[in-house]
């Protein structure tokens, strides 16, 4: 029996798993990010509507920074949870992530391994590197007041009648940030940066996608003061936000001197995207798109990257199923009918 291999559709909206090599370059935006961070040393807010390509731009920029400044820059990731818990925990959440990233960079330790070391003073005293000892003591100050390590262990216990009994031990974990003041968090961060400087790390860049939780002006004001304190210690932020939320939070303009607006694709960029995704990576299957099809896609999608991907995905699938190497107008019309709700104009 012959197995028919069906290649994975090369068009995708899953930006998290998207190969960096297939992310279309945005030269102007990348230049703006480089100048703001490396030249002017300013926080940057990447602004654009949902699906316009903010996440892809950040991934491209992080990859570029890693390739060109791997030694001197420590890159830190924060998720929406770091912002959704409110301004009171923003400073603690960011500080914890900086320490975790530093542990992985300096000592090749995961956050869980670091916490495991903190659970036992005996384990700490056996370490020979003074830098690690000092680092662990710093981290101990910002760890939760009570940290319980999760342990799941199963043993086989043989009994007289030959049966086997499973014995399991499980301890649940709760985690909360200890009650340090803002000044203490910043002092610990400054001391950590001194440790990083010994290894040639002169700048920390914190990346956060979808900073859409910063709505109330009162919270933004508190976070603004935190960002200013971080900037004084050479810790800069690159966050993304929708334009409507930026308009509703005027205080963010002071926190982020540099705004990087991500616009829809021009025809040239759209054509580049269709060309880059037409070839399936796992096979020689190729579906090309004519200039007229590309023009129509631009007209329908208005250059919106996510919509281009969805239209391309459906056109590619239909052409592949029909064993055609060129997408047709019928493929595009079929895709449009699936993607958009069409209604007559009155």
């Amino acid at each position: 029996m012959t197995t028919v291999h069906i290649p994975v559709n090369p068009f995708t909206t899953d930006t998290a798993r998207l190969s960096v090599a297939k992310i279309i370059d945005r030269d102007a935006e990348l230049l703006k990010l480089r100048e703001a961070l490396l030249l002017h040393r300013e926080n940057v807010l990447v602004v654009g509507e949902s699906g316009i390509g903010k996440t892809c731009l950040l991934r491209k920029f992080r990859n570029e920074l890693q390739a060109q400044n791997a030694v001197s820059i420590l890159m830190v990731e924060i998720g929406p949870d770091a912002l959704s818990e409110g301004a009171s925990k923003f400073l603690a959440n960011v500080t914890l992530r900086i320490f975790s990233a530093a542990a992985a960079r300096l000592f090749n330790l995961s956050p869980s391994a670091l916490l495991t070391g903190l659970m036992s003073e005996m384990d700490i005293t056996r370490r020979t590197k003074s830098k690690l000892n000092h680092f662990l003591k710093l981290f101990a100050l910002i760890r939760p007041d009570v940290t319980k390590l999760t342990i799941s262990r199963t043993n086989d216990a043989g009994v007289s009648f030959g049966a086997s009994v499973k014995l399991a031990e499980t301890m649940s974990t709760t985690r909360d940030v200890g009650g340090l003041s803002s000044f203490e968090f910043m002092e610990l961060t400054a001391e950590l940066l001194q440790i990083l400087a010994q290894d040639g790390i002169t700048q920390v860049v914190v990346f956060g996608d979808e900073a859409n939780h910063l709505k109330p002006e009162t919270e933004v004001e508190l976070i603004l003061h935190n960002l200013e304190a971080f900037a004084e210690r050479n810790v800069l932020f690159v966050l993304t936000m929708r334009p409507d939320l930026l308009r509703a939070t005027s205080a963010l303009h002071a926190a982020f001197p540099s705004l990087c607006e991500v616009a829809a694709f021009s025809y040239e960029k759209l054509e580049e995207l269709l060309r880059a995704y037409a070839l399936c990576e796992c096979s020689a299957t190729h579906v090309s798109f004519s200039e007229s099809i590309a023009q129509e896609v631009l007209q329908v999608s208005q250059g919106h990257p996510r919509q281009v991907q969805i239209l391309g995905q459906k056109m590619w699938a239909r052409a592949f199923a029909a064993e055609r190497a060129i997408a047709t107008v019928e493929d595009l019309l079929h895709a449009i009918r699936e993607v958009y709700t069409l209604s007559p104009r009155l």
Side-chain angles (χ1 to χ4, degrees), residues 43 90-92 94-95 98 185-186 189 193 206 223 225-237:
N43 294 321
F90 172 80
L91 182 56
V94 172
T95 305
I98 293 175
F185 273 115
M186 283 302 175
T189 303
L193 294 178
V206 180
I223 291 176
H225 296 313
N226 290 335
L227 292 180
E228 290 175 345
F230 273 122
E232 290 175 359
R233 289 156 179 80
N234 214 18
V235 178
L236 299 177
F237 289 75

Side-chain angles (χ1 to χ4, degrees), residues 95-121 123-124 127 131-144 147 149 175 192:
T95 305
L96 281 168
R97 282 163 173 77
I98 293 175
F99 267 77
S100 297
R105 175 74 171 270
L106 295 178
F107 312 112
N108 196 28
L109 286 174
S110 66
S112 60
L114 191 62
L115 284 173
T116 302
L118 291 171
M119 293 299 297
S120 170
E121 289 298 328
D123 183 57
I124 294 175
R127 299 192 185 278
K131 186 193 304 181
L132 180 56
N133 273 326
H134 188 56
F135 184 94
L136 286 170
K137 290 174 182 176
L138 286 176
F139 196 87
L141 293 175
I142 61 170
R143 67 175 173 161
T147 304
L149 182 65
R175 181 170 177 77
L192 171 62

Side-chain angles (χ1 to χ4, degrees), residues 140-160:
L141 293 175
I142 61 170
R143 67 175 173 161
D145 293 328
V146 178
T147 304
K148 289 186 278 187
L149 182 65
T150 299
I151 300 173
S152 294
R153 185 174 61 198
T154 303
N155 296 325
D156 288 333
V159 293
S160 58

Side-chain angles (χ1 to χ4, degrees), residues 30 32-33 66 100 106 115 117 121 150 159 164 183 230 245 260 282 310 316 328 331 335:
L30 288 172
K32 177 128 188 167
L33 287 172
Q66 180 64 33
S100 297
L106 295 178
L115 284 173
E121 289 298 328
T150 299
V159 293
S164 181
F183 176 78
F230 273 122
L245 295 177
C260 180
C282 58
I310 294 173
W316 189 94
T328 65
D331 294 330

Side-chain angles (χ1 to χ4, degrees), residues 2-301:
T2 304
T3 302
V4 179
H5 175 68
I6 301 177
V8 177
N9 196 311
F11 289 88
T12 179
T13 58
D14 189 355
T15 54
R17 297 184 180 182
L18 188 64
S19 169
V20 175
K22 295 192 79 170
I23 297 177
I24 304 303
D25 279 330
R26 290 179 176 268
D27 303 327
E29 290 88 345
L30 288 172
L31 177 61
K32 177 128 188 167
L33 287 172
R34 281 194 297 270
E35 289 181 344
L37 277 176
L38 305 179
L39 183 61
H40 302 300
R41 304 282 176 150
E42 293 178 341
N43 294 321
V44 187
L45 196 62
V46 179
V47 183
E49 62 183 86
S50 297
I52 203 69
K54 302 187 298 294
T55 300
C56 285
L57 176 63
L58 285 194
R59 289 193 61 207
K60 195 81 169 181
F61 184 58
R62 286 197 302 265
N63 188 70
E64 179 185 284
L65 274 185
Q66 180 64 33
Q68 299 177 2
N69 306 275
V71 175
S72 61
I73 294 180
L74 175 70
M75 288 186 284
V76 180
E77 301 285 340
I78 61 171
D81 58 311
L83 302 169
S84 62
E85 292 184 352
S88 61
K89 289 190 176 181
F90 172 80
L91 182 56
N93 283 329
V94 172
T95 305
L96 281 168
R97 282 163 173 77
I98 293 175
F99 267 77
S100 297
R105 175 74 171 270
L106 295 178
F107 312 112
N108 196 28
L109 286 174
S110 66
S112 60
L114 191 62
L115 284 173
T116 302
L118 291 171
M119 293 299 297
S120 170
E121 289 298 328
M122 288 293 294
D123 183 57
I124 294 175
T125 56
R126 286 175 185 164
R127 299 192 185 278
T128 56
K129 295 179 74 172
S130 60
K131 186 193 304 181
L132 180 56
N133 273 326
H134 188 56
F135 184 94
L136 286 170
K137 290 174 182 176
L138 286 176
F139 196 87
L141 293 175
I142 61 170
R143 67 175 173 161
D145 293 328
V146 178
T147 304
K148 289 186 278 187
L149 182 65
T150 299
I151 300 173
S152 294
R153 185 174 61 198
T154 303
N155 296 325
D156 288 333
V159 293
S160 58
F161 51 85
S164 181
V165 180
K166 299 286 186 181
L167 301 179
E169 299 176 12
T170 304
M171 291 164 43
S172 63
T173 297
T174 59
R175 181 170 177 77
D176 195 9
V177 177
L180 294 180
S181 68
S182 298
F183 176 78
E184 288 171 319
F185 273 115
M186 283 302 175
E187 287 301 300
L188 287 170
T189 303
E191 195 168 346
L192 171 62
L193 294 178
Q194 291 178 2
I195 295 176
L196 294 175
Q198 296 174 16
D199 285 71
I201 300 172
T202 58
Q203 187 174 2
V204 176
V205 180
V206 180
F207 290 94
D209 206 5
E210 298 302 334
N212 298 323
H213 300 281
L214 304 180
K215 298 177 185 178
E217 289 287 326
T218 52
E219 292 224 332
V220 172
E221 287 292 346
L222 290 174
I223 291 176
L224 167 60
H225 296 313
N226 290 335
L227 292 180
E228 290 175 345
F230 273 122
E232 290 175 359
R233 289 156 179 80
N234 214 18
V235 178
L236 299 177
F237 289 75
V238 182
L239 305 181
T240 70
M241 179 171 275
R242 297 202 313 266
D244 57 319
L245 295 177
L246 177 60
R247 288 191 293 269
T249 52
S250 58
L252 278 179
H253 289 279
F256 293 87
S258 292
L259 296 181
C260 180
E261 297 185 11
V262 183
F265 279 152
S266 63
Y267 173 76
E268 290 74 17
K269 290 297 180 183
L270 181 143
E271 191 180 36
E272 184 182 344
L273 185 150
L274 291 176
R275 187 168 56 250
Y277 285 84
L279 181 62
C280 184
E281 293 180 345
C282 58
S283 74
T285 304
H286 187 79
V287 176
S288 61
F289 300 86
S290 66
E291 182 178 344
S292 61
I293 292 290
Q295 290 282 7
E296 289 295 330
V297 170
L298 178 66
Q299 183 72 22
V300 171
S301 68

